[in-house]
Amino acid sequence: MAPHVFFELKSAVVGIAGLGGLGSNVAVALTRLKTGKLILVDFDRVEDSNLNRQNYFHDQIGRFKVDATAENLRRVWPQVSLVEHIVRLNPENIVNIFAEADVIAECFDRADQKQMLVETVLSKMPGKVVVSVSGLAGWGASNEIVTRQIHSRLILIGDGVSGLRPGVPLTASRVGVAAYHQANAIVELLMNHKVPVSVQGSQGT
Amino acid sequence: MIIRINGSERQFTRDEWPASVAQLLDYLQIDQATVVAEIDGQIVQRKEFSNTSLAEGQSIELIRFVGGG
C-alpha cells in the first residue's frame, strides 16, 4: 500500500532550530510524513556524548549535525526537500533564516537559547508559530510531559521543571517523548490549518 | 498595588513595588536569561527588562525555560 500523503504537510515549511536530542528526532518524524520542506539549523558537530539521545550514528561522529541529519533524512526519502544552515542562530539571523517557515521548532539545549529563540519569534516574526520544549531531563514520568498552548503563537511542551542537574541526565527515552510531542504538535497545527501555509503567502495568525 | 502574574493577582506594598520588569524578576528570584515576558499582550524583549516599568493593574505573563534538549 502506498503511504498516505497529507496535502497539508506536503505544502508546509518547518524550521528546526537546533539538531540535538529534540531536533534530530523531530526532523525524522516530519520527513517520514513527507513534510514539504525542512529548514535545518545547527552550528555543532556530532560527538560520542550525543549518541545517548540524538538521532546520529557512531560513524557520524565529527560531522556537522546539519550534514549528518540531512544524510539520515535522505536515507528515509531521497527526495526530501531541505535547506541547510551551519550557523549559530541569533536574534538577527533568525528572522531571515526562518522567513519561509510556517512553524518553527525550538530544539535547543540551553535555557537562555530557548528564551532567545522564542522571544525573537514572538516579538519580531508576526504570524509565525513556535513550538518549544522546557523540562525533559531524567527518565520515567512520561505523562508529566505535556503539550500546552500558552500563547496564541507559542506551544510549550515538557514538564516545565526538569532541567539539567547533577544525577539527572538527558535520556533517549524521555527526550524522545518530548521530541515526538513536539513533532505531533507541529503536525496537528499544520493539519488543522492553524498556521498560514506558505503556498498561500499569508502572514495572518 | 496589584499586578496579575500568570493569571494570579499579586499584591505589593508601595515600598515593595518593583520599578521594572528586571526588579520584578529579581523579587521572584527568576533568572532573566531564562524567561520570556509579556505585558498586556506585548512581548517585552529581555534587553528592555531594566527599562520597562510596571503599572498598577497590568497583566504579566512570564514564560520560563529550563535547559535540556
Side-chain angles (χ1 to χ4, degrees):
Chain A
M1 192 179 89
H4 189 85
V5 176
F6 297 99
F7 172 78
E8 292 85 348
L9 300 187
K10 208 173 162 56
S11 58
V13 180
V14 178
I16 303 182
L19 294 170
L22 295 168
S24 64
N25 287 305
V26 167
V28 170
L30 295 177
T31 296
R32 290 191 184 283
L33 294 172
K34 298 207 164 178
T35 302
K37 187 190 285 186
L38 301 180
I39 302 169
L40 307 175
V41 192
D42 199 296
F43 66 90
D44 213 356
R45 292 175 186 266
V46 179
E47 298 176 27
D48 58 2
S49 64
N50 301 151
L51 299 182
N52 68 346
R53 67 188 189 282
Q54 304 185 17
N55 189 49
Y56 299 109
F57 300 91
H58 192 268
D59 61 8
Q60 293 179 318
I61 290 170
R63 296 185 55 195
F64 282 112
K65 290 182 178 181
V66 165
D67 292 338
T69 293
E71 175 182 276
N72 296 339
L73 301 182
R74 291 193 174 106
R75 288 182 69 187
V76 178
W77 300 118
Q79 70 278 31
V80 63
S81 175
L82 305 173
V83 178
E84 301 163 43
H85 292 275
I86 299 173
V87 66
R88 192 185 284 266
L89 287 165
N90 60 51
E92 285 70 46
N93 64 16
I94 283 169
V95 177
N96 289 329
I97 285 173
F98 293 125
E100 194 190 0
D102 299 304
V103 188
I104 299 164
E106 177 284 301
C107 298
F108 288 135
D109 190 31
R110 283 171 37 190
D112 64 324
Q113 295 296 295
K114 292 174 179 291
Q115 190 278 347
M116 183 272 294
L117 190 280
V118 171
E119 178 182 288
T120 301
V121 175
L122 295 184
S123 63
K124 294 185 177 176
M125 303 179 77
K128 301 289 188 204
V129 177
V130 57
V131 181
S132 180
V133 180
S134 175
L136 48 55
W139 55 88
S142 301
N143 295 341
E144 290 176 19
I145 291 182
V146 294
T147 296
R148 293 176 298 152
Q149 176 127 27
I150 60 166
H151 179 280
S152 61
R153 294 193 290 116
L154 171 62
I155 291 174
L156 190 60
I157 286 147
D159 64 22
V161 291
S162 301
L164 271 178
R165 58 185 193 280
V168 184
L170 297 171
T171 63
S173 49
R174 199 156 193 258
V175 172
V177 171
Y180 277 79
H181 263 261
Q182 194 173 20
N184 208 26
I186 292 166
V187 170
E188 187 178 23
L189 279 168
L190 296 170
M191 292 304 291
N192 291 344
H193 298 285
K194 285 184 179 165
V195 293
V197 172
S198 57
V199 290
Q200 297 168 338
S202 164
Q203 286 292 302
T205 40
Chain B
M1 301 174 79
I2 292 172
I3 46 176
R4 185 173 280 272
I5 302 173
N6 292 352
S8 300
E9 282 192 354
R10 188 128 188 173
Q11 190 141 14
F12 292 89
T13 65
R14 200 164 289 277
D15 291 340
E16 288 172 338
W17 183 256
S20 64
V21 174
Q23 282 194 17
L24 174 67
L25 294 173
D26 283 349
Y27 179 86
L28 298 172
Q29 298 184 312
I30 296 173
D31 179 358
Q32 291 185 26
T34 64
V35 64
V36 171
E38 187 183 62
I39 300 181
D40 292 340
Q42 292 291 318
I43 297 291
V44 178
Q45 292 189 48
R46 183 181 157 199
K47 63 184 180 192
E48 302 297 335
F49 283 176
S50 299
N51 305 325
T52 303
S53 56
L54 301 175
E56 170 99 45
Q58 282 180 327
S59 196
I60 301 174
E61 294 295 323
L62 300 175
I63 305 162
R64 298 178 65 179
F65 295 92
V66 296

